[in-house]
Amino acid sequence: MKRTEEMQPANVVKSDEEWRQQLTPQEYAVLRKADTERPFTGEYTDNHRIGVYRCRACGSELFRSEHKFDSHCGWPSFFTPLAGDQIIERTDRSMGTSRTEVLCANCHSHLGHVFEGEGYGTPTDLRYCINSISLTFEEEPAAQ
């Protein structure tokens, strides 16, 4: 079942001006206005370190490195979120086609889109294509 914004209000609620003060102009454009960073330019596209990816706007844990894979699409790709209740999926018809937008459930910030299809070579056949600028990364300490 897809979650929608109407099913759960955001836990983090800020005015547009508060978001503008907290985020850089590019972060604001992506996270709050659903813009997209250019492919192959994000800092986490080729990140292979072990850790957790968080929402840049509110810090919620969203994805883990073991669920990340190289889809060659130009953005960090994951085959599943950390937990289903951490994200919201909703229909996006903004580009003249129907896609599924992915938002942070905690603050309703835009993260990217999820695509279904065989051939991803993942357990779910899903590709959560997420803007690097929507994320921060917390590396796990190396095992002793």
Side-chain angles (χ1 to χ4, degrees):
M1 176 171 120
K2 291 193 179 188
R3 302 188 54 216
T4 66
E5 288 183 47
E6 293 73 37
M7 292 174 69
Q8 176 185 0
N11 293 322
V12 175
V13 179
K14 296 182 180 188
S15 70
D16 196 54
E17 185 55 35
E18 289 173 309
W19 285 120
R20 284 183 186 275
Q21 290 175 7
Q22 175 185 331
L23 303 168
T24 68
Q26 188 178 11
E27 290 168 352
Y28 177 83
V30 174
L31 288 157
R32 304 311 304 170
K33 297 300 180 184
D35 202 354
T36 301
E37 67 189 357
R38 290 186 8 248
F40 302 103
T41 62
E43 68 179 305
Y44 301 125
T45 303
D46 295 318
N47 181 28
H48 300 290
R49 295 175 291 159
I50 296 172
V52 65
Y53 293 86
R54 296 176 178 273
C55 174
R56 187 174 300 266
C58 72
S60 288
E61 294 184 2
L62 301 171
F63 300 95
R64 294 208 42 88
S65 58
E66 58 263 27
H67 301 139
K68 187 175 185 286
F69 70 103
D70 190 358
S71 68
H72 308 286
C73 71
W75 294 275
S77 296
F78 305 86
F79 60 83
T80 191
L82 184 67
D85 63 351
Q86 298 297 92
I87 62 163
I88 294 169
E89 295 179 11
R90 71 175 179 189
T91 302
D92 173 8
R93 292 187 177 89
S94 65
M95 300 294 284
T97 185
S98 184
R99 304 181 294 172
T100 303
E101 181 183 18
V102 180
L103 299 100
C104 173
N106 196 45
C107 68
H108 292 186
S109 287
H110 173 79
L111 303 172
H113 291 85
V114 61
F115 302 95
E116 290 183 62
E118 294 181 26
Y120 294 133
T122 65
T124 63
D125 283 330
L126 295 174
R127 175 172 51 102
Y128 287 85
C129 190
I130 307 299
N131 292 286
S132 284
I133 202 163
S134 297
L135 303 170
T136 60
F137 179 74
E138 183 179 313
E139 188 169 11
E140 291 182 357
Q144 300 285 331

